[in-house]
Amino acid sequence: MLLIMSGHNYRFECENLCRVFFPYSPVRVESADSQDRTAPEPGEPRADTLLEKAGDGWLYTIRASDGQRELSRSVRAPETDEYPMTRLLFDTLSELTGVKPAWGMLTGVHPVKLLRQHVERLGLEAGMAEFREKWLVSEGRAQLAGRVLKAQKPAVEELRPDDYSLYVGIPFCPTRCAYCSFISQDMAHAKKLVEPYLELLYLELERTARIAGELGLGPISVYIGGGTPTTLSAQQLRDLCAKIRGVFPMDRCREFTVEAGRPDTLSLEKLMALKEANVDRISINPQTMSDRVLQNIGRRHTARDVIDGFELARKVGFRDINADLIVGLPGDSPEGFADTIRRVLELSPTNVTVHSLAIKRSADIVMNEDGLSLHKHPETAAHMMDHAIKTLTEAGFEPYYLYRQTRMAGNLENTGWALPGSVCRYNIYTMDESGTVIACGAGGVTKLKDPYSPDLKRIFNFKYPFEYISRHGEILERKEGIREIYEQFRQRLY
Ligand code: SF4
């Protein structure tokens, strides 16, 4: 798609909106007065966005084409601002394509965070109304966001200024799933990296614990994610949990979660090691209960392995188990997805997380057009997601965290659902950006939330295990940034 900008620089949001309406057409952005303008490809969608002075106000104009039909719309406003331009672009593209996105104009990752700002400013009812009307969010999605806001309130209010969540990344998986866009490495290629990685991870954990301790901070939650942490051996899991418990003060820690994601990595010995280390939450992620769909996405396990994994975890004594599911997988159907939910609920998870398949360019599935067949039918994906919302609600679950990504099936959302009393605080603090998350390991992103203002600062670790190992000194140096940033937060108070 060709996006032409003239008289303004609202590029970021205009580009995001173009992707909502034309998700499979890469957006090329050009300035109207550039010397290097390119000609549009035949049939290529296009949007010309124009801002110009008109009397004592401003005229906003969009001329858009889907490659066949053209539409031109204008609006006047007294000031220059991003909102009238993006609103006009949204309205014009919606009229041109007939698409009414469920999240309206919202293209960001954290719609609930935005809703919270509206509600804090105007109160619940007026804030909800403004959220819906200003951003053209559908009634169904506004209600979903409102339920999430309500469900996460106790965990957000419980946070103290000296709390943080500790995230520990284990970037290894038994094999790579076809839709994966994470940094995870499969064990066939990365086996020899595991031990050196863990040794350096321990150093990072020690340094982090020291810095946080000197600042008077302590973890309220611990989350070991990945990748698939249970790719590690039982002894490695034991050592990792012991290291965390040994160097961090755990007196205020309310939960300790380990993603046991892939059922093909589970064993009695590993689950016992986690239980003995007082891990109280795990994830066993089916994604689908169809063996055929599992095969399509390159997961080398069956639905039976998921059932066995749940049974084993129950035998070992785990109560809080999350199950991740995905809407929009290749070869799945509304009937197949309904069957997946029914069979997963029979396993009595306390948390269910429903994702919409997000296709990034780094995923193998992008190479395969069949893989995207359901992804390209947003109304089917929306129907499946609505079924999940209805069924989980009827089963007593409440949605408690929600986030969005680009290029999601149906342009929908990922939602975590929990039975009463079973929310995972880490998911709330990290997805809602309501609390500090200190991350260790490859791909970790530390998010330092000013407890006294909306300010949030990030510190990035290197993404891939080999970089993490070869440039570990830099990672330890970056960790010192936690000290500086917290000192700045505190200075602002005085
Ligand atoms: S289990 Fe998750 S991180 Fe690992 S390959 Fe599959 S999608 Fe990627």
Side-chain angles (χ1 to χ4, degrees):
M1 173 165 193
L2 185 56
L3 170 65
I4 310 280
M5 320 263 299
S6 178
H8 69 93
N9 196 18
Y10 307 133
R11 171 182 174 152
F12 183 72
E13 265 314 299
C14 288
E15 207 177 333
N16 282 342
L17 284 173
C18 288
R19 280 199 199 97
V20 168
F21 290 96
F22 298 98
Y24 301 101
S25 176
V27 183
R28 298 186 291 130
V29 186
E30 293 185 2
S31 164
D33 16 276
S34 160
Q35 304 292 331
D36 312 315
R37 291 275 308 275
T38 54
E41 305 284 330
E44 184 183 18
R46 168 184 177 137
D48 288 66
T49 60
L50 176 66
L51 175 59
E52 57 196 337
K53 190 87 182 110
D56 55 359
W58 293 85
L59 183 67
Y60 296 75
T61 302
I62 305 289
R63 281 190 290 275
S65 156
D66 61 2
Q68 289 164 347
R69 202 162 75 89
E70 286 194 14
L71 204 59
S72 179
R73 295 284 179 265
S74 293
V75 66
R76 280 174 189 278
E79 307 285 348
T80 59
D81 186 31
E82 185 181 69
Y83 184 78
M85 179 61 81
T86 49
R87 171 71 190 257
L88 185 64
L89 179 62
F90 178 90
D91 288 342
T92 310
L93 294 181
S94 181
E95 189 181 341
L96 183 70
T97 59
V99 173
K100 296 208 178 319
W103 285 100
M105 293 171 65
L106 296 185
T107 59
V109 176
H110 307 290
V112 178
K113 189 174 163 188
L114 184 66
L115 173 60
R116 174 175 289 116
Q117 289 163 7
H118 284 280
V119 168
E120 279 175 358
R121 201 160 39 79
L122 297 170
L124 183 61
E125 214 171 298
M128 284 285 288
E130 188 182 67
F131 176 74
R132 236 180 10 244
E133 286 155 22
K134 178 170 182 181
W135 305 111
L136 307 170
V137 177
S138 72
E139 183 62 37
R141 261 42 196 184
Q143 271 184 26
L144 184 67
R147 287 173 71 184
V148 171
L149 189 67
K150 187 171 169 215
Q152 56 183 222
K153 199 164 179 250
V156 173
E157 287 179 352
E158 179 189 30
L159 268 180
R160 294 192 326 207
D162 54 352
D163 285 332
Y164 65 91
S165 295
L166 175 68
Y167 175 85
V168 181
I170 303 296
F172 305 108
C173 286
T175 56
R176 205 168 150 82
C177 307
Y179 58 84
C180 184
S181 54
F182 297 116
I183 47 128
S184 191
Q185 307 261 297
D186 68 76
M187 282 306 262
H189 293 97
K191 205 169 184 2
K192 61 180 183 310
L193 296 181
V194 175
E195 274 301 336
Y197 178 84
L198 287 175
E199 270 173 40
L200 293 173
L201 179 62
Y202 291 170
L203 290 182
E204 191 190 2
L205 289 168
E206 284 166 13
R207 175 74 68 98
T208 303
R210 199 177 72 224
I211 295 168
E214 285 167 9
L215 288 164
L217 309 176
I220 188 167
S221 78
V222 174
Y223 192 101
I224 305 182
T228 307
T230 40
T231 310
L232 301 181
S233 69
Q235 190 55 47
Q236 287 167 334
L237 288 169
R238 220 174 267 125
D239 293 346
L240 176 58
C241 295
K243 173 56 79 177
I244 292 169
R245 288 196 176 277
V247 298
F248 290 91
M250 300 298 280
D251 45 308
R252 201 173 136 68
C253 188
R254 304 290 305 277
E255 62 185 28
F256 195 133
T257 307
V258 175
E259 275 185 38
R262 295 262 296 253
D264 46 344
T265 60
L266 292 181
S267 69
L268 181 62
E269 203 194 349
K270 290 184 193 182
L271 288 169
M272 297 270 289
L274 295 178
K275 192 69 195 160
E276 281 159 17
N278 287 326
V279 169
D280 47 21
R281 313 177 59 90
I282 59 170
S283 278
I284 300 176
N285 298 329
Q287 313 303 6
T288 169
M289 292 298 272
S290 157
D291 287 345
R292 190 177 42 79
V293 178
L294 281 169
Q295 220 170 20
N296 290 348
I297 58 174
R299 304 259 293 195
R300 293 197 196 145
H301 65 82
T302 61
R304 183 70 241 174
D305 294 329
V306 175
I307 297 167
D308 292 346
F310 264 81
E311 281 174 4
L312 203 57
R314 295 280 186 230
K315 209 182 284 172
V316 171
F318 284 102
R319 187 194 84 92
D320 273 320
I321 308 179
N322 170 68
D324 274 8
L325 306 178
I326 301 180
V327 162
L329 288 174
D332 206 357
S333 63
E335 299 72 34
F337 183 71
D339 186 58
T340 287
I341 297 217
R342 183 184 58 73
R343 291 175 67 191
V344 163
L345 288 178
E346 281 172 6
L347 301 172
S348 305
T350 54
N351 281 228
V352 177
T353 310
V354 186
H355 297 259
S356 309
L357 181 63
I359 301 293
K360 297 208 176 146
R361 286 187 182 84
S362 52
D364 297 346
I365 217 168
V366 173
M367 306 301 162
N368 170 2
E369 269 299 299
D370 286 349
L372 294 175
S373 56
L374 198 50
H375 205 264
K376 286 193 169 176
H377 289 96
E379 62 296 336
T380 312
H383 174 70
M384 290 155 89
M385 189 58 90
D386 286 346
H387 176 77
I389 293 173
K390 181 169 173 289
T391 312
L392 290 167
T393 301
E394 285 169 2
F397 288 77
E398 267 304 304
Y400 77 98
Y401 78 98
L402 183 155
Y403 67 101
R404 303 183 66 223
Q405 294 162 279
T406 49
R407 303 198 81 205
M408 301 183 87
N411 194 25
L412 296 167
E413 66 280 324
N414 302 325
T415 309
W417 296 76
L419 289 175
S422 294
V423 302
C424 173
R425 291 171 181 77
Y426 165 78
N427 287 329
I428 295 174
Y429 303 145
T430 190
M431 290 308 171
D432 190 50
E433 297 186 336
S434 47
T436 283
V437 175
I438 299 184
C440 294
V445 181
T446 292
K447 296 191 222 174
L448 303 174
K449 166 77 177 56
D450 184 348
Y452 314 104
S453 84
D455 197 10
L456 185 100
K457 297 266 190 284
R458 291 182 170 79
I459 299 175
F460 294 89
N461 278 10
F462 294 113
K463 270 188 169 184
Y464 296 96
F466 72 89
E467 274 179 302
Y468 180 83
I469 292 169
S470 62
R471 301 176 69 181
H472 196 257
E474 289 173 64
I475 287 180
L476 295 187
E477 270 169 40
R478 288 181 191 183
K479 275 279 172 300
E480 292 294 331
I482 297 175
R483 203 189 305 276
E484 282 160 41
I485 292 168
Y486 259 84
E487 278 162 6
Q488 283 166 17
F489 289 164
R490 287 169 181 174
Q491 271 164 15
R492 282 190 202 148
L493 267 182
Y494 304 106

